Amino acid sequence: MAIVTVFFQMLSLLIMIGTGYFVTKTGMMDEHTNGQMSKMIVNVFNPMLVFSSAVNSVGLVSLDTMGIVGLIAAGMFLVFIVFGMILSPFFDKDSGQRKIFQMMFVFSNLGFIGIPVVTSILGAEYVVYVTEFLLVYTIVFYTYGITLMNGKFSLASLKEMINPGTVCSVAALAVILFEVQLPDFLKIAVTYLGNVTSPMALVAVGFTLAHSDLKKIFGQPRLYVFAVIKLLALPMLMLPVLKMVTDDAALIPVCMVMFGMPIGNMPLILGNQKGIDGSTCSAAIILTTILCVFTVPLLLAAAG
């Protein structure tokens, strides 16, 4: 996969982020609009994209491959957890901020950014693999993530695992496993609804950028170090192991995209709930999202 081609495809995503920035700065989009739009992405359009990927991939994805993807996803999170525990003290001495950095190492933006990237570069049919990463993400977040921030494990947090995204992910896997063929009119409906996800999610990122302090985003050297480790070093470290696990030319690029995704919003949300200052986390989210435009092509070039 030519690095220049991938770069320009990533650049198209950056233009969509810029559009969100523009419509926010010109007053066409406000907090209420963004909030409602984000709810629709999370609860309707993103789940539909995951489900539509499955219904359009029936008979095209082997069960063996799905099993391998699940193992790779679990391995990815294990690596991120271990390195987060080891490296987070080097980025901040405050106990609360160390927890935030641990969360940032582990919980990437596999949905909002990962799905648009995979769709744009590799094709919508590959989103079905992202589904498994998202399921493992959900399990890890509501076990390890909540436990890390609370200091103890709570069964009550597991109830939050039942949400539209998880339900559609399970339904998508069931469609693949049992080779369920939906009528064409349903396929068309869920596909069109799913197609809304990518541009809308990237516009939402632009909204966040428009409300951020650019000096805090681009003026912290430690965040550049973190970004290099998160977006490049760890994915490159996992690449040789990935190639030992599978030689599937289609699967390896998907996994490398998942390995190299920017930070997601969940560390910030949990930190805010615990009263931890989220300014550094917010800056890191925006910085890594912008930098992934340049790092993802490098990862895919390395993957071959």
Side-chain angles (χ1 to χ4, degrees):
M1 188 175 295
I3 188 171
V4 175
T5 302
V6 176
F7 171 74
F8 279 109
Q9 287 172 315
M10 291 296 296
L11 196 59
S12 69
L13 304 185
L14 190 59
I15 291 172
M16 284 185 263
I17 293 174
T19 301
Y21 183 92
F22 172 76
V23 298
T24 302
K25 286 297 187 181
T26 54
M28 287 185 278
M29 187 172 175
D30 57 16
E31 289 277 358
H32 176 74
T33 305
N34 180 66
Q36 296 300 106
M37 190 172 73
S38 296
K39 287 180 182 178
M40 288 189 289
I41 294 169
V42 171
N43 295 308
V44 180
F45 300 124
N46 203 42
M48 284 297 99
L49 180 57
V50 169
F51 189 65
S52 68
S53 172
V55 300
N56 290 308
S57 301
V58 173
L60 302 177
V61 181
S62 72
L63 298 184
D64 288 342
T65 301
M66 297 296 285
I68 291 171
V69 173
L71 290 174
I72 292 171
M76 179 191 80
F77 281 104
L78 179 60
V79 170
F80 285 169
I81 288 171
V82 170
F83 275 90
M85 293 172 62
I86 295 171
L87 297 178
S88 59
F90 294 99
F91 289 98
D92 207 300
K93 299 301 181 184
D94 177 76
S95 60
Q97 291 300 317
R98 283 204 307 270
K99 288 183 179 181
I100 293 295
F101 270 98
Q102 282 184 251
M103 293 282 285
M104 290 195 299
F105 267 108
V106 178
F107 298 107
S108 307
N109 203 334
L110 303 184
F112 260 45
I113 302 298
I115 289 177
V117 170
V118 169
T119 303
S120 174
I121 296 176
L122 303 171
E125 64 271 23
Y126 293 102
V127 174
V128 67
Y129 296 132
V130 180
T131 298
E132 287 199 77
F133 278 90
L134 291 173
L135 277 174
V136 177
Y137 176 106
T138 301
I139 294 169
V140 174
F141 178 79
Y142 287 108
T143 52
Y144 169 78
I146 299 294
T147 300
L148 173 65
M149 297 303 290
N150 289 342
K152 61 181 180 179
F153 176 74
S154 172
L155 288 175
S157 66
L158 298 182
K159 295 179 182 178
E160 297 180 44
M161 291 175 65
I162 302 174
N163 55 65
T166 307
V167 170
C168 277
S169 294
V170 172
L173 290 178
V175 165
I176 293 293
L177 291 174
F178 299 106
E179 298 189 353
V180 179
Q181 291 287 354
L182 295 185
D184 286 343
F185 74 93
L186 286 179
K187 286 185 180 181
I188 293 171
V190 297
T191 299
Y192 280 147
L193 286 170
N195 288 344
V196 175
T197 304
S198 296
M200 191 177 278
L202 294 167
V203 166
V205 173
F207 174 87
T208 303
L209 179 61
H211 284 83
S212 301
D213 185 340
L214 298 184
K215 289 183 179 179
K216 286 185 178 180
I217 294 173
F218 299 108
Q220 298 190 57
R222 63 175 176 163
L223 293 187
Y224 288 94
V225 176
F226 173 84
V228 169
I229 295 172
K230 171 69 175 169
L231 301 179
L232 277 178
L234 288 181
M236 292 299 289
L237 181 67
M238 292 187 285
L239 178 58
V241 180
L242 175 62
K243 288 188 173 181
M244 286 190 289
V245 173
T246 179
D247 58 359
D248 189 324
L251 181 56
I252 290 175
V254 177
C255 292
M256 288 305 289
V257 169
M258 293 292 97
F259 294 169
M261 282 295 92
I263 304 162
N265 291 327
M266 296 314 296
L268 178 62
I269 292 170
L270 270 187
N272 287 340
Q273 290 178 354
K274 297 299 175 183
I276 300 172
D277 177 33
S279 58
T280 298
C281 183
S282 180
I285 290 171
I286 295 297
L287 181 64
T288 54
T289 299
I290 294 172
L291 290 180
C292 81
V293 172
F294 306 96
T295 57
V296 167
L298 295 176
L299 294 178
L300 292 178

